Amino acid sequence: MQTTGRDNYARLAIATGRPLADLPEWLETPEGAAESAARFWAWAGCNALADAGDDRLLRRRINGGEVGLADVIRRTRAAERAIDELGI
C-alpha cells in the first residue's frame, strides 16, 4: 500500500506526529512504509474484511477497484498456506 492524497498525508502526519513536509522521505524507509500501511489497514477496517475472507471488498477498500484481484487472491492464499504450514 502506498499513501496517496492530501487527506491521507495530513491524517498520517497527525497520527505519527511528523511534519507533513517530512512524510515523503520517511515513507521511503522500511519503517515508514510499514507504519503507514498498518495505519491505513486499521483506518480502513481491513482486519474485519480479511477475517471474513471478503477479498473483493478488501481489494476495493484498499485500491478503489478490482484491478489485479485474481493475482491478489492467488498470493493471499499462498501466504495463508505458508503461515498454516509454520503453525503460526
Side-chain angles (χ1 to χ4, degrees), residues 54-74:
D54 194 338
D55 298 313
R56 185 174 305 276
L57 186 53
L58 183 59
R59 181 67 171 170
R60 284 182 166 199
R61 185 77 47 94
I62 292 170
N63 216 37
E66 295 180 13
V67 173
L69 178 63
D71 186 50
V72 169
I73 291 171
R74 182 182 60 77

Side-chain angles (χ1 to χ4, degrees), residues 23-52:
L23 282 182
E25 186 175 326
W26 176 71
L27 288 168
E28 291 178 0
T29 68
E31 295 82 8
E35 184 172 344
S36 68
R39 287 184 183 275
F40 178 83
W41 184 271
W43 291 334
C46 293
N47 262 359
L49 298 174
D51 289 346

